[in-house]
Amino acid sequence: MSNLDVRMVPVLSDNYVHLIHDTFSGKTACVDPAVGGPVIDAVRDLGWEISHVLITHPHYDHTDGVPDIVEAFGAEVYGSRRDYGQIPKCDHGVMQGDLIELGKSIAKVLEVPGHTVHHIAYYFEQERLLFPGDTLFSLGCGRLFGGTAEQMWSSLKKLRALPADTQVYCAHEYTNANADFALSVDPDNADLKARADEVQSLREQGLPTLPSTLDSEARCNPFLRCDIPAFKASLDLGEREAEQVFAEIRRRKDHF
Ligand SMILES: [Zn+2]
């Protein structure tokens, strides 16, 4: 059994701030705090204290809560070394392959450019937990704000290559809207249809659609399927390279 207890705190209209608590050491990491107050309240209700803040990229809806959290708990803040200066209170600049200790657990830093040029993800290899920020969503992926389609496709392939049972804690509850688009480009995918039904039912009950798994995303998420011959052929893009297929469906999603 994992020694990590993960909780999702819903904030703003559709963000999740993830709390990762190591039950052995009592240390708690907080991923991408969009806000301070509600996160601090949630942590105190659990009887925890935030020791680490892990930032995936410097957009305000992932960092605005950092100063309040640092003030409340004296937490240490981690972010991409290349985003240094853009992340409030960041004292640890990290890069690909760096390891961050959370008690007995270890988060590995993965560089996944595309949504932003220096976007990173945090991966707990032992526990198979992935915090991909705005790179990978359930049934979708982040928009390109700085990175190229080629970079994003390569980042998504890097995440897809992790073990299939990895649990994916995305930063936004976008799954229902993503399902509508995914079905528009991949209407005959039975796994996708089943996931879309599940997502709709969860949302009707007011429940989160996350975490997802990489196995489910590999089968259902069109942005992870750009090199699957049958999927390319169904889009009449059978002759194109995977990154061109990715660029085309990303463009379609931007205008959906
Ligand atoms: Zn973002």
Side-chain angles (χ1 to χ4, degrees), residues 15 32 56-62 115-116 119 133-135 137 142-143 145 171-172 174:
N15 280 70
D32 287 351
T56 62
H57 68 293
H59 285 164
Y60 77 95
D61 62 329
H62 296 254
H115 175 64
T116 60
H119 197 297
D134 283 357
T135 299
F137 297 127
R143 277 178 189 248
F145 288 127
H172 289 275
Y174 288 160

Side-chain angles (χ1 to χ4, degrees), residues 96-148:
Q96 172 65 38
D98 280 354
L99 303 176
I100 300 167
E101 285 180 28
L102 180 72
K104 289 176 98 170
S105 296
I106 293 174
K108 186 175 183 177
V109 174
L110 304 177
E111 288 181 354
V112 284
H115 175 64
T116 60
V117 249
H118 307 311
H119 197 297
I120 58 176
Y122 297 92
Y123 174 50
F124 289 84
E125 194 162 23
Q126 197 75 34
E127 296 83 1
R128 306 263 168 95
L129 304 175
L130 175 67
F131 298 86
D134 283 357
T135 299
L136 176 63
F137 297 127
S138 184
L139 304 182
C141 73
R143 277 178 189 248
L144 304 177
F145 288 127
T148 65

Side-chain angles (χ1 to χ4, degrees), residues 143-182:
R143 277 178 189 248
L144 304 177
F145 288 127
T148 65
E150 207 175 340
Q151 283 176 321
M152 188 59 140
W153 169 243
S154 144
S155 295
L156 291 173
K157 269 198 303 185
K158 184 173 179 173
L159 297 181
R160 189 183 63 178
L162 298 173
D165 60 353
T166 299
Q167 293 193 290
V168 189
Y169 286 87
C170 311
H172 289 275
E173 182 57 72
Y174 288 160
T175 320
N176 221 352
N178 285 344
D180 291 342
F181 174 75

Side-chain angles (χ1 to χ4, degrees), residues 30 33-41 43-44 50 53 63-75 77 88-89:
C30 163
V35 295
V39 174
I40 293 168
D41 290 346
V43 168
R44 292 201 166 129
I50 296 174
V53 176
T63 59
D64 270 6
V66 173
D68 286 350
I69 287 172
V70 169
E71 194 178 308
F73 301 107
V77 182
K89 310 274 181 191

